[in-house]
Amino acid sequence: MSETNSAADVAAPHRYTAAMAADIEARWQDFWDAEGTYEAPNPSGDLADDPELAAKPKKFIMDMFPYPSGAGLHVGHPLGYIATDVFARHQRMTGHNVLHTLGFDAFGLPAEQYAVQTGTHPRLSTESNIENMTAQLRRLGLGHDKRRSFATIESEYYKWTQWIFLQIFNSWYDADADRARPIAELVAQFESGERPTPDGRDWSALSAAERADVLSGHRLAYASDAPVNWSPGLGTVLANEEVTADGRSERGNFPVFKAKLRQWNMRITAYADRLLNDLDGLDWPEAIKLQQRNWIGRSEGARVDFPVDGAGGITVFTTRQDTLFGATYMVLAPEHELVERIIPAAWPEGTHPVWTGGHANPAEAVTAYRKQAAAKSDVERQAEAKDKTGVFTGAYATNPVSGEQIPVFIADYVLMGYGTGAIMAVPAHDARDFAFARAFELPMRCVVEPSDDRGTDASTWEDAFGSYDAKLVNSANDEISLDGLGVVDAKARITEWLKEHGVGEGTVNFRLRDWLFSRQRYWGEPFPIVYDEDGIAHPLPESMLPLELPEVDDYSPRTFDPDDADTQPETPLSRNADWVNVTLDLGDGAGPKKYRRETNTMPNWAGSCWYELRYLDPNNSDKLVDPAIEQYWMGPREGQPTGGVDLYVGGAEHAVLHLLYARFWSKVLHDLGHISSAEPFHKLYNQGMIQAFVYRDSRGIAVPAAEVEERDGAYYFQGEKVSRVLGKMGKSLKNAVTPDEICGEYGADTLRLYEMAMGPLDVSRPWDTRAVVGQYRLLQRLWRNIVDEESGEVTVVESEPGEDTLRALHKAIDGVGGDMAGMRFNTAIAKVTELNNHLTKAGGPLPRSVAEPLVLLVAPLAPHIAEELWRRLGHTDSVVHQDFPVADPAYVIDETVTCVVQIKGKVKARLEISPSITDAELETLALADPAVVAALGGAGIRKVIVRAPKLVNIVPA
């Protein structure tokens, strides 16, 4: 018989049981919904229904967008949702107007893959998943303002996602003003001649296509032919962040290749400095800030031009321009656009056989090597492999400081995604260049004096030597000498020389690349872009939004043999000719014309880049968000210089992708005057993970955790011994526990308490179903302290509590309040438990002045039982908006505390003293204590260490 259905429960008809919890929880959830208990009023607009509440200080508390999976929730998923709910409830009770709601990030690959497999429209499966997840979350008693909930697949929502894309498309970044500006202002500069065109012709002399190309080079959203991550097995391209370390797709684990395709991009690189600098004003975990800083990857150095006969030159970015005299060869990324222009028809006379890869001419060598490099991920290419691969292009460049002709190679250890996609190789002082030079028998010149005894003949070295503390050597020409200078001075001197001679300049580079924004999928937001007969992109006017997804017969992009790199995307939308080919009047004075729609869709990140703004003003069909409402909830204020959500809770796995993208969109919208907040999320909190044991048989296959038996420290499934390891919880690992199971067995309040009591919120912790009963018993004792289990009558009395009870109560109020504000929910529960146990042991009926604050302390953690007890205590208004108890300082501080007196580390006396005693007073008292005097036996005292009021440590002479 389970804990919740014991014989004792049957004997006590009004005992708090799972059945009673289910009844209480369902009733109050219905009541909260009917009364709109959690509705947060706006200061104006259609949701301005409670001016008194709106006048209070605001708190905007958010969870990261959930994706509505068909598998439903397991008990690990609600951890963050329960935590934000507890925090939000405490904030309501401490005088705040709290906006807390939850929507669904519903576009994306899983629903589309399910549609491909089953023929079910992605919308149907997604809406079914949302309905199921909503029911599971409702059962937890989460206090969400349901008026503000939405899914990204609703056309009323993605109309504004498309609108934001158009704002970005119609903007450029003005580096002088350090902000985005409308593209029309850039056009005006070109038209007036204030800004020259790239080739110097008048703007009016350029064709429409030429003008479009010039503007594309400035737009914050632009289409370009660029190397992309192409996954034939998925039939789509992927952002760098969606490719795993072993060069496969994050979803589906398919091989990923480099391919050159025309795709939409977001010029997030224009905001690199601001994305970096504004991190300082955010209340985020330092580990997350560090990941963002590393991803942005700011580095200072120099741009250097290496001339190539007949092809202009190769531009490199280097942070070690002081080593220019040591550059003995160059390397281009295999995808570099200059490669085709610099390769000669034949190998130059005297080409080293090792450089050719055994090919008859440079073109063959380059083609073969490019194919080889395309099969590797960026991570693989950057790995510190000892065996470096590459091939000579047949071209030579001129080292601008030495005048030497140095060979130009292509090699996969150089990436287009960093710098200029080209490097000057200084093999004596760079480990990867050293390994490459050894493999291809290239010269190595020492220009940084080694600090060991290896000498300056780099050809005899076993490894490269690089140091910022050394002096420069072998670094002089007729005009400049760096010899004898330190690295910092040498950098400054050579940078100045490069600028004077027009072959380079000091510059800043970023690891951050522009954001690839196209997907060859069906289930995503359509781009509000059409192309005319000349291939020029035109934005749809706002009146044509939303551009809704059409119905299609086949949801799948064309997929290929996963290993076939020589393939091209074919999107589901491209097969719907009636939708693709349209005649439209765009309102630009050209009248009705034939156009072709963009057939890619936006990535799943698009909808989650701005959803915090839709929560503020969810019914607005005229504006992205009302400025006054956005200012109220998210505007800058003291302590929040860039504004944003007050608390954002979610997993650390979103440290780069979602957070960086959302920050970028916020900054563009802020620059254009649409919002007052330049950052979306002021405070970020990463909750830990609820883990579970995974049991595997001898084949390594997971077996149902619930059916495993433990015997003598070993684990068995159907008689066979199995292994056990702590890992993730999930359906595929057969160890998932659903919240529905726990709610059915104990009630939602017990589940809430257990998840919050398991440990610090930001630390991962193992699930143990057997331990849940501890929190269930806490609620039973709480109930029993207020309600008679036999009669169901409230047992509280109007008498005054004793001194001990008052101290226990106010200490709990003080501690729980502080813990709630600091999101230390596990210690808050421990303090509630301690108070409840004190009251249980004290016996007798509880005074009302104790029972009511006890219920209020529990209310944020276990809202259903608290609401029920509050009503039974005679109140007619909801516990949700009651004031949180305030501790009386007189009872928080103990009248006396116990001080331990030690001699040579051993306890010799315990003194009952005032907690406010000074160090000097305590020392005098301790030295006078008879037990201490006896223990010293007349010995002198060398030292007395006092830590008032808890410790005195005496060191005899």
PDB file of all heavy atoms in Angstrom, residues 425-440:
ATOM      1  N   ALA A 425      52.203  33.030 -42.416  1.00  0.00           N
ATOM      2  CA  ALA A 425      52.699  31.941 -41.588  1.00  0.00           C
ATOM      3  C   ALA A 425      54.089  32.279 -41.067  1.00  0.00           C
ATOM      4  O   ALA A 425      55.003  32.579 -41.838  1.00  0.00           O
ATOM      5  CB  ALA A 425      52.739  30.645 -42.389  1.00  0.00           C
ATOM      6  N   VAL A 426      54.208  32.252 -39.741  1.00  0.00           N
ATOM      7  CA  VAL A 426      55.492  32.507 -39.074  1.00  0.00           C
ATOM      8  C   VAL A 426      55.852  31.226 -38.329  1.00  0.00           C
ATOM      9  O   VAL A 426      55.594  31.100 -37.128  1.00  0.00           O
ATOM     10  CB  VAL A 426      55.379  33.720 -38.119  1.00  0.00           C
ATOM     11  CG1 VAL A 426      56.739  34.064 -37.518  1.00  0.00           C
ATOM     12  CG2 VAL A 426      54.792  34.926 -38.833  1.00  0.00           C
ATOM     13  N   PRO A 427      56.391  30.245 -39.018  1.00  0.00           N
ATOM     14  CA  PRO A 427      56.527  28.900 -38.452  1.00  0.00           C
ATOM     15  C   PRO A 427      57.423  28.808 -37.231  1.00  0.00           C
ATOM     16  O   PRO A 427      57.217  27.933 -36.386  1.00  0.00           O
ATOM     17  CB  PRO A 427      57.087  28.078 -39.617  1.00  0.00           C
ATOM     18  CG  PRO A 427      57.680  29.067 -40.551  1.00  0.00           C
ATOM     19  CD  PRO A 427      56.854  30.297 -40.414  1.00  0.00           C
ATOM     20  N   ALA A 428      58.400  29.711 -37.100  1.00  0.00           N
ATOM     21  CA  ALA A 428      59.281  29.621 -35.934  1.00  0.00           C
ATOM     22  C   ALA A 428      58.544  29.929 -34.643  1.00  0.00           C
ATOM     23  O   ALA A 428      58.967  29.501 -33.565  1.00  0.00           O
ATOM     24  CB  ALA A 428      60.469  30.567 -36.106  1.00  0.00           C
ATOM     25  N   HIS A 429      57.410  30.639 -34.748  1.00  0.00           N
ATOM     26  CA  HIS A 429      56.761  31.131 -33.533  1.00  0.00           C
ATOM     27  C   HIS A 429      55.277  30.785 -33.443  1.00  0.00           C
ATOM     28  O   HIS A 429      54.546  31.400 -32.664  1.00  0.00           O
ATOM     29  CB  HIS A 429      56.973  32.641 -33.429  1.00  0.00           C
ATOM     30  CG  HIS A 429      58.416  33.031 -33.545  1.00  0.00           C
ATOM     31  ND1 HIS A 429      59.360  32.657 -32.622  1.00  0.00           N
ATOM     32  CD2 HIS A 429      59.089  33.706 -34.524  1.00  0.00           C
ATOM     33  CE1 HIS A 429      60.551  33.108 -32.997  1.00  0.00           C
ATOM     34  NE2 HIS A 429      60.417  33.742 -34.152  1.00  0.00           N
ATOM     35  N   ASP A 430      54.816  29.838 -34.210  1.00  0.00           N
ATOM     36  CA  ASP A 430      53.422  29.386 -34.141  1.00  0.00           C
ATOM     37  C   ASP A 430      53.414  27.876 -34.319  1.00  0.00           C
ATOM     38  O   ASP A 430      53.976  27.351 -35.299  1.00  0.00           O
ATOM     39  CB  ASP A 430      52.576  30.039 -35.241  1.00  0.00           C
ATOM     40  CG  ASP A 430      51.124  29.584 -35.177  1.00  0.00           C
ATOM     41  OD1 ASP A 430      50.816  28.549 -35.797  1.00  0.00           O
ATOM     42  OD2 ASP A 430      50.324  30.254 -34.498  1.00  0.00           O
ATOM     43  N   ALA A 431      52.779  27.159 -33.392  1.00  0.00           N
ATOM     44  CA  ALA A 431      52.853  25.693 -33.383  1.00  0.00           C
ATOM     45  C   ALA A 431      52.273  25.073 -34.651  1.00  0.00           C
ATOM     46  O   ALA A 431      52.836  24.129 -35.212  1.00  0.00           O
ATOM     47  CB  ALA A 431      52.131  25.149 -32.156  1.00  0.00           C
ATOM     48  N   ARG A 432      51.114  25.587 -35.116  1.00  0.00           N
ATOM     49  CA  ARG A 432      50.488  24.991 -36.306  1.00  0.00           C
ATOM     50  C   ARG A 432      51.310  25.307 -37.558  1.00  0.00           C
ATOM     51  O   ARG A 432      51.486  24.455 -38.432  1.00  0.00           O
ATOM     52  CB  ARG A 432      49.054  25.493 -36.443  1.00  0.00           C
ATOM     53  CG  ARG A 432      48.144  25.012 -35.316  1.00  0.00           C
ATOM     54  CD  ARG A 432      46.693  25.372 -35.574  1.00  0.00           C
ATOM     55  NE  ARG A 432      46.526  26.804 -35.778  1.00  0.00           N
ATOM     56  CZ  ARG A 432      45.421  27.365 -36.248  1.00  0.00           C
ATOM     57  NH1 ARG A 432      44.400  26.591 -36.571  1.00  0.00           N
ATOM     58  NH2 ARG A 432      45.325  28.665 -36.406  1.00  0.00           N
ATOM     59  N   ASP A 433      51.807  26.548 -37.644  1.00  0.00           N
ATOM     60  CA  ASP A 433      52.665  26.898 -38.780  1.00  0.00           C
ATOM     61  C   ASP A 433      53.950  26.071 -38.762  1.00  0.00           C
ATOM     62  O   ASP A 433      54.464  25.659 -39.813  1.00  0.00           O
ATOM     63  CB  ASP A 433      53.019  28.388 -38.742  1.00  0.00           C
ATOM     64  CG  ASP A 433      51.804  29.285 -38.949  1.00  0.00           C
ATOM     65  OD1 ASP A 433      50.748  28.770 -39.356  1.00  0.00           O
ATOM     66  OD2 ASP A 433      51.924  30.495 -38.694  1.00  0.00           O
ATOM     67  N   PHE A 434      54.484  25.825 -37.569  1.00  0.00           N
ATOM     68  CA  PHE A 434      55.705  25.030 -37.428  1.00  0.00           C
ATOM     69  C   PHE A 434      55.485  23.618 -37.969  1.00  0.00           C
ATOM     70  O   PHE A 434      56.299  23.086 -38.736  1.00  0.00           O
ATOM     71  CB  PHE A 434      56.103  24.979 -35.947  1.00  0.00           C
ATOM     72  CG  PHE A 434      57.412  24.296 -35.677  1.00  0.00           C
ATOM     73  CD1 PHE A 434      58.596  25.027 -35.607  1.00  0.00           C
ATOM     74  CD2 PHE A 434      57.480  22.918 -35.468  1.00  0.00           C
ATOM     75  CE1 PHE A 434      59.816  24.401 -35.356  1.00  0.00           C
ATOM     76  CE2 PHE A 434      58.683  22.283 -35.217  1.00  0.00           C
ATOM     77  CZ  PHE A 434      59.857  23.027 -35.161  1.00  0.00           C
ATOM     78  N   ALA A 435      54.342  23.012 -37.557  1.00  0.00           N
ATOM     79  CA  ALA A 435      54.051  21.645 -38.022  1.00  0.00           C
ATOM     80  C   ALA A 435      53.869  21.612 -39.537  1.00  0.00           C
ATOM     81  O   ALA A 435      54.327  20.689 -40.216  1.00  0.00           O
ATOM     82  CB  ALA A 435      52.791  21.126 -37.322  1.00  0.00           C
ATOM     83  N   PHE A 436      53.199  22.633 -40.083  1.00  0.00           N
ATOM     84  CA  PHE A 436      52.978  22.688 -41.535  1.00  0.00           C
ATOM     85  C   PHE A 436      54.312  22.863 -42.266  1.00  0.00           C
ATOM     86  O   PHE A 436      54.574  22.206 -43.281  1.00  0.00           O
ATOM     87  CB  PHE A 436      52.032  23.850 -41.862  1.00  0.00           C
ATOM     88  CG  PHE A 436      51.543  23.861 -43.290  1.00  0.00           C
ATOM     89  CD1 PHE A 436      50.373  23.209 -43.649  1.00  0.00           C
ATOM     90  CD2 PHE A 436      52.251  24.519 -44.286  1.00  0.00           C
ATOM     91  CE1 PHE A 436      49.914  23.219 -44.960  1.00  0.00           C
ATOM     92  CE2 PHE A 436      51.816  24.540 -45.597  1.00  0.00           C
ATOM     93  CZ  PHE A 436      50.639  23.879 -45.934  1.00  0.00           C
ATOM     94  N   ALA A 437      55.149  23.755 -41.745  1.00  0.00           N
ATOM     95  CA  ALA A 437      56.447  24.003 -42.386  1.00  0.00           C
ATOM     96  C   ALA A 437      57.310  22.748 -42.378  1.00  0.00           C
ATOM     97  O   ALA A 437      58.023  22.460 -43.354  1.00  0.00           O
ATOM     98  CB  ALA A 437      57.163  25.153 -41.680  1.00  0.00           C
ATOM     99  N   ARG A 438      57.272  21.986 -41.288  1.00  0.00           N
ATOM    100  CA  ARG A 438      58.021  20.734 -41.240  1.00  0.00           C
ATOM    101  C   ARG A 438      57.507  19.756 -42.299  1.00  0.00           C
ATOM    102  O   ARG A 438      58.273  19.106 -43.006  1.00  0.00           O
ATOM    103  CB  ARG A 438      57.901  20.106 -39.840  1.00  0.00           C
ATOM    104  CG  ARG A 438      58.915  20.651 -38.839  1.00  0.00           C
ATOM    105  CD  ARG A 438      60.305  20.058 -39.146  1.00  0.00           C
ATOM    106  NE  ARG A 438      61.354  20.787 -38.488  1.00  0.00           N
ATOM    107  CZ  ARG A 438      61.765  20.541 -37.236  1.00  0.00           C
ATOM    108  NH1 ARG A 438      61.170  19.601 -36.517  1.00  0.00           N
ATOM    109  NH2 ARG A 438      62.749  21.235 -36.723  1.00  0.00           N
ATOM    110  N   ALA A 439      56.164  19.662 -42.398  1.00  0.00           N
ATOM    111  CA  ALA A 439      55.579  18.704 -43.344  1.00  0.00           C
ATOM    112  C   ALA A 439      55.900  19.071 -44.791  1.00  0.00           C
ATOM    113  O   ALA A 439      56.080  18.185 -45.644  1.00  0.00           O
ATOM    114  CB  ALA A 439      54.069  18.635 -43.125  1.00  0.00           C
ATOM    115  N   PHE A 440      55.979  20.383 -45.091  1.00  0.00           N
ATOM    116  CA  PHE A 440      56.166  20.818 -46.479  1.00  0.00           C
ATOM    117  C   PHE A 440      57.565  21.403 -46.737  1.00  0.00           C
ATOM    118  O   PHE A 440      57.794  22.009 -47.782  1.00  0.00           O
ATOM    119  CB  PHE A 440      55.080  21.838 -46.844  1.00  0.00           C
ATOM    120  CG  PHE A 440      53.721  21.206 -47.005  1.00  0.00           C
ATOM    121  CD1 PHE A 440      52.888  21.036 -45.909  1.00  0.00           C
ATOM    122  CD2 PHE A 440      53.294  20.742 -48.238  1.00  0.00           C
ATOM    123  CE1 PHE A 440      51.644  20.427 -46.040  1.00  0.00           C
ATOM    124  CE2 PHE A 440      52.053  20.139 -48.386  1.00  0.00           C
ATOM    125  CZ  PHE A 440      51.222  19.974 -47.283  1.00  0.00           C
TER     126      PHE A 440
END
